[in-house]
Amino acid sequence: DQSTIYCESGWYDTEKDVYQFEKKAKIKTETQYIKADLIWYDRQNNKAKAYRNISIFDSVENVLVLGRYAEYNQPNGFTFVTDSAVAILIDGKDSLYIHADTLWAKMDSSQHVEYISAHHKVLFYRNDMQGSCDSLVYTAIDSVISMYRSPLVWFNKNQSLADTIRLFIKNKTIKEMHLIKNSFIVEDVFNEKKFNQIKGVNMFIYFIDNQIDHVFVDAEAECIYYVFDEKNALIGINSSVSKQMRINFSENEVSTITLYEKVKGDLSPEADKPNPFLTDFIWLNRYRPKNKYDIFMQDFYKPELKKQEENYED
């Protein structure tokens, strides 16, 4: 009573209760829509496989998953898609496109998406935000994206790195971004040659209307900032170190910096700072997806592991 199946070719094993639908195969339920070139379905065990040109749409979470091979296991409540796999979190004209080697979707008892996880060479694109990492988890109930293993997030002229990055989304807009351990934000000031830099253990970034409102750096805060006058002429380079730091933004540009405890800093002419970069500075714009099609690009950031010196005893 709640589903419709359509195909133009196929077969049915009456003893094993197994179906195979071919040629424009489609399965439609109240909240989901699945289509593929071929769909194989084991009714007794509630398992299915789909091949080529796969589309899986969940109207409750407004999520569309695409790929060329998929498996569905209702008893375990999961679906996985691979081979050109893409998850699209639909939001009018500003949808989020996520690509990875493999996508997993966990379903609840009502067969609605609980979370989507992406594994290996993850790239995503939205008009106002792009990113990459080795693995990613999107939880539907609270709209949180957690990124692991060399995560990178770009927004406007900013690049963010950390051991773990979490994005908090509400009403389809980003509200907060947490950089956990070894956090580093870089802002392109002048044609990818001069950069504002913020570094610390953990960072918490807060947005209003998809623009940065302020950043709070918790522990071991460091900052290099290019200071300009009202005519946009360079005054000098500010270098600061403190236990904690708050940076306020106005129209995506730094407006004020407040330092807390163990403060050290100076403002110097550019000529006195021939190498104005914090330790571990790196600029990775060539890995940034420039459009939704770039999520399939082969050039992917994977940092080299730091070699640790071994201690030898005589």
Side-chain angles (χ1 to χ4, degrees):
D1 294 337
Q2 297 179 349
S3 63
T4 303
I5 300 169
Y6 174 88
C7 69
E8 296 180 0
S9 179
W11 52 260
Y12 169 47
D13 187 324
T14 56
E15 293 183 359
K16 297 180 180 179
D17 208 9
V18 173
Y19 304 75
Q20 182 162 301
F21 309 107
E22 303 173 31
K23 293 185 180 180
K24 301 180 181 179
K26 304 172 186 177
I27 300 176
K28 186 178 182 181
T29 70
E30 286 185 313
T31 60
Q32 292 179 329
Y33 182 86
I34 302 168
K35 68 177 183 178
D37 288 356
L38 185 151
I39 299 174
W40 176 90
Y41 178 52
D42 180 347
R43 185 175 179 181
Q44 289 185 358
N45 297 306
N46 277 321
K47 295 180 180 180
K49 297 179 181 180
Y51 300 84
R52 299 179 300 279
N53 298 315
I54 300 164
S55 298
I56 305 171
F57 177 65
D58 187 314
S59 61
V60 175
E61 299 299 335
N62 227 17
V63 174
L64 174 65
V65 179
L66 309 174
R68 293 185 57 80
Y69 177 76
E71 289 189 12
Y72 167 74
N73 188 318
Q74 185 176 11
N76 293 333
F78 73 79
T79 298
F80 84 82
V81 182
T82 189
D83 194 354
S84 303
V86 179
I88 305 172
L89 310 183
I90 300 171
D91 180 24
K93 296 181 180 180
D94 198 18
S95 299
L96 176 64
Y97 296 79
I98 304 172
H99 167 63
D101 288 350
T102 305
L103 295 172
W104 291 80
K106 180 69 170 66
M107 310 292 187
D108 61 18
S109 57
S110 301
Q111 296 304 296
H112 300 316
V113 175
E114 283 186 343
Y115 66 82
I116 294 174
S117 61
H119 298 274
H120 308 308
K121 292 187 177 181
V122 181
L123 281 166
F124 66 80
Y125 175 86
R126 200 171 81 168
N127 289 336
D128 58 349
M129 178 179 63
Q130 302 83 41
S132 73
C133 60
D134 181 72
S135 57
L136 173 153
V137 177
Y138 167 76
T139 53
I141 191 170
D142 52 11
S143 296
V144 175
I145 296 175
S146 299
M147 303 170 62
Y148 305 98
R149 293 189 180 181
S150 308
L152 270 166
V153 174
W154 295 273
F155 49 94
N156 300 314
K157 295 182 179 181
N158 299 279
Q159 168 191 284
S160 305
L161 300 94
D163 288 0
T164 301
I165 296 179
R166 291 192 177 93
L167 298 163
F168 296 79
I169 300 171
K170 186 176 181 180
N171 298 326
K172 306 298 183 180
T173 60
I174 182 170
K175 296 297 182 183
E176 297 180 24
M177 181 163 68
H178 296 179
L179 310 183
I180 311 301
K181 292 186 179 180
N182 298 312
S183 57
F184 207 131
I185 296 179
V186 179
E187 180 190 16
D188 180 14
V189 177
F190 181 73
N191 296 332
E192 301 187 42
K193 295 179 180 178
K194 300 177 182 179
F195 303 92
N196 290 335
Q197 301 151 61
I198 307 169
K199 183 181 178 181
V201 176
N202 302 317
M203 284 192 213
F204 305 94
I205 307 169
Y206 301 90
F207 296 81
I208 295 178
D209 296 329
N210 283 330
Q211 293 189 347
I212 300 179
D213 179 67
H214 68 277
V215 176
F216 183 77
V217 187
D218 186 18
E220 300 178 19
E222 298 179 59
C223 179
I224 287 180
Y225 171 61
Y226 285 78
V227 181
F228 297 89
D229 63 17
E230 63 276 3
K231 295 182 180 180
N232 209 32
L234 180 62
I235 297 173
I237 301 176
N238 183 292
S239 299
S240 302
V241 177
S242 60
K243 183 178 179 180
Q244 295 176 321
M245 185 182 300
R246 177 181 169 125
I247 304 97
N248 292 325
F249 285 74
S250 177
E251 297 181 357
N252 280 323
E253 294 185 357
V254 174
S255 57
T256 61
I257 298 176
T258 306
L259 310 176
Y260 304 91
E261 297 186 48
K262 301 180 180 178
V263 176
K264 294 180 181 179
D266 65 76
L267 179 63
S268 305
E270 186 177 21
D272 292 348
K273 288 188 176 294
N275 189 33
F277 298 102
L278 296 175
T279 305
D280 297 327
F281 168 87
I282 188 170
W283 181 243
L284 300 166
N285 202 53
R286 72 186 182 95
Y287 298 103
R288 181 178 188 172
K290 305 301 189 298
N291 54 59
K292 63 183 180 182
Y293 305 105
D294 278 354
I295 59 175
F296 294 102
M297 66 183 180
Q298 296 300 311
D299 202 8
F300 188 83
Y301 173 62
K302 187 176 181 180
E304 295 182 5
L305 294 176
K306 294 181 179 179
K307 295 181 179 180
Q308 295 182 350
E309 295 183 1
E310 296 184 5
N311 295 322
Y312 295 94
E313 294 184 0
D314 294 334

